[in-house]
Amino acid sequence: MTTQGPTDAHRNNVLRVLRAAAIAAAAAATVLVTGLVVGGSVTEKVIPGLGDAGELTRWGLPASRTAMDLLSALTVGALLAAAALLPIEGGGRGPGRLSRDAIGYLHAASWLAAAWGAAAAATLVFTVADVLGQPVEQVLTGNELSSYVGSLPQGTALMIVVLLAVVVALLARTTTTPAAAFGLLAMAGIALLPAPLTGHSASAANHTVATTGVALHVAAVAPWVGGLAIVGVHALLRRDRLPVMADRFSRMALWCYVAVGASGLVNVIARLPDPVELVETNYGRLALGKMLAFAALGWFGHLHRTRTLPALADGRPWAFARFASGEIVVMASAIGLAVALARTAPPAPAEPESVVKALLGYEMPPEITPARLATLWQLDLFFAALVLVLGGLYLAALVRLRRRGDGWPMARAVSWFIGLLTIVVATQTGVAKYAPILFSVHMVQHMVLNMLTPIFLVVGAPVTLALRALKPARVRGDRGPREWLTAMLHSRVAAVVAHPAVATFVFVVSTFALYFTPLFESAMRNHLGHIAMTAHFLLAGFLFFWVLLGVDPAPKKLPYPGRLLLLFVTMPFHAFFGIALMNLSQALARGWYASVDPPWGTTILEDQHTGGGIAWAFGEIPTFIVLIVLAVQWYMDDQRQARRGDRKADRAAKGGGRPGDDELAAYNARLAKLAERDRAAEEQDDGASS
């Protein structure tokens, strides 16, 4: 009887990985072809006289897009395994180092990212051929490719994906530290978004919701699919620390599943407002098939938690490996179905859209009144999800502290949720509905998010709460969420960004740079740009007031006189900004506001003068609030210092403290010593004179 050597065992394990990958790829291809045929995207009739890209493009574009999606998920999964799923080695107080397996996954991510970039480049070529209706050969030999990349959003997006994938591929070959691996993971996550955000979501009837929905969908799918694939590979190769990886992935996968389900439902509703269209249209039937695949993956996840994870803890890794392989096949099939769905046109609206609805995503609202500002709600999915996440995490941290028997100041919790409420008011109510068409309402939204909301959020002390609520990593020397947060606070990047001069510069200069350059109109015309602009208001304000109020730990804290000086130096700049707007002779972003000019409104320039007056007057409100907060903080800090001095004095009086703890006694002793020295000097002088 022969025994199997280590080399043969490793070869067999690799063959199992390759076999599982081949089955998953075959499943994705089969479902893709079926979906393309059912959706009708490859069986469309060619109209004489119109350009035809040919059969190669009709089949090559979805095939390359499927490969791009699968490879992007695998790249993210490999980087996720290296940065977060596998424990960090080194221990102690040092920075730690990546394990041998983690470095191996980084090298794998390098190859996967290179293939991802190649698939994105192929998708770019096929997309040009499809849009222009020209064969691939003509696109490659002409100058259409270079002109398309610079002129259309889809081409620019795919080119960004190619560049970022190449950067990840190059850097992953030399990366050896946990922080660098985490940075590459963040870069790969950014590279996921440009391609899907310039597809059907950007032109959907309710594109403001669809764009955010597809971004959340892709951001949750990639780590879920890629993470499970890499954990499955780890199991098939029989590598160490599989239980740790599986447990960490399982906790992350649950949240990914929730995010995928919620964002997918939002996307379907945005494109299919009538539920009957789920069964009456090709697009709806494919969407229904995707829902069934999602339900099947939920069943897989339930069995993982109830059966395979306990089996893994009992030392039976093959049960997990076989089940994970089956789940990967379903996931790959779902990706193939998603690409077929993206190639299928959603049902056309029953009535043609107006120009205003095409720009805003909704029809022109009626004349503005205070009641309509409060009642005409407008869903902004990005900020709605942000509020839910921030509120849920804060509540979860409070519950954990309470269960542990620790307290938390009620005033901080109230302040945090007031801040979240102001985000809701600024982004979900009639304020958000009128802000894109009236500059004055936009300025109210800007001032609230930039100068009012951050004060309440900073006073809520979220970083301090997180440091108290998060548990240390289970494995000694490893980095969990608490360790990563601490490392970020002590990093050089945080030291630079949180420097008072940098925070003040961002807070003040970015406002002038945005409004008095073409950036403002570009942001208003693009929903993603509008989200980025609004998020910048919020983040810039949070950074400034984090430095100014100093509730949470920060790399550099100013003394209270310095904080007051910074406040009184900074706030006048917003008044200057308001005065500059009030003295405009030409309207800002005239092209945009002329396109959405309401028939019941005033002139564009007069409305912008009103916005300038709002900016000029609004600065008094946050200044007053900050002064109150600083006064309370200063008073409480003095009280803490006094109590600390009293405790030292008590310890010194009882004989249990260190010499010098009782500052008053030490001061009196110094005075007595000086008096004794003076008396000795006088006696010496008297003796010399006699």
Side-chain angles (χ1 to χ4, degrees), residues 136-298:
V136 173
E137 298 82 2
Q138 185 175 344
V139 170
L140 291 175
T141 56
N143 60 356
E144 289 85 355
L145 188 61
S146 59
S147 60
Y148 175 86
V149 170
S151 60
L152 292 179
Q154 296 94 328
T156 304
L158 288 170
M159 199 65 223
I160 292 174
V161 174
V162 173
L163 294 175
L164 290 177
V166 170
V167 172
V168 171
L170 294 175
L171 295 180
R173 299 295 302 175
T174 57
T175 296
T176 58
T177 63
F182 191 84
L184 289 179
L185 176 61
M187 185 180 296
I190 294 172
L192 292 171
L193 300 178
L197 291 180
T198 53
H200 284 164
S201 61
S203 57
N206 192 1
H207 58 269
T208 57
V209 174
T211 301
T212 304
V214 76
L216 295 175
H217 197 73
V218 172
V221 164
W224 183 27
V225 175
L228 180 63
I230 299 302
V231 174
V233 168
H234 201 84
L236 290 173
L237 294 177
R238 295 189 175 186
R239 291 181 174 173
D240 296 332
R241 296 186 173 178
L242 177 61
V244 176
M245 286 188 70
D247 178 66
R248 293 182 176 183
F249 171 77
S250 178
R251 283 180 283 166
M252 181 201 72
L254 176 61
W255 294 107
C256 289
Y257 185 81
V258 173
V260 168
S263 59
L265 181 62
V266 168
N267 292 330
V268 170
I269 293 175
R271 294 172 176 83
L272 301 175
D274 188 355
V276 177
E277 293 176 329
L278 281 172
V279 294
E280 291 184 349
T281 63
N282 292 334
Y283 189 92
R285 285 187 282 269
L286 291 179
L288 193 59
K290 193 176 175 184
M291 293 179 188
L292 294 176
F294 177 77
L297 290 172

Side-chain angles (χ1 to χ4, degrees), residues 602-661:
T602 181
T603 64
I604 298 174
L605 188 59
E606 186 176 346
D607 181 63
Q608 293 189 356
H609 288 167
T610 303
I614 292 171
W616 174 73
F618 196 92
E620 304 296 331
I621 301 174
T623 301
F624 179 70
I625 296 175
V626 170
L627 284 175
I628 293 176
V629 173
L630 285 177
V632 172
Q633 287 181 337
W634 202 340
Y635 172 77
M636 294 180 66
D637 184 67
D638 286 343
Q639 293 296 311
R640 283 193 296 269
Q641 295 290 342
R643 288 193 298 269
R644 188 178 296 116
D646 292 341
R647 287 194 296 269
K648 287 182 179 180
D650 291 341
R651 286 196 300 268
K654 295 177 181 179
R658 296 187 302 271
D661 275 352

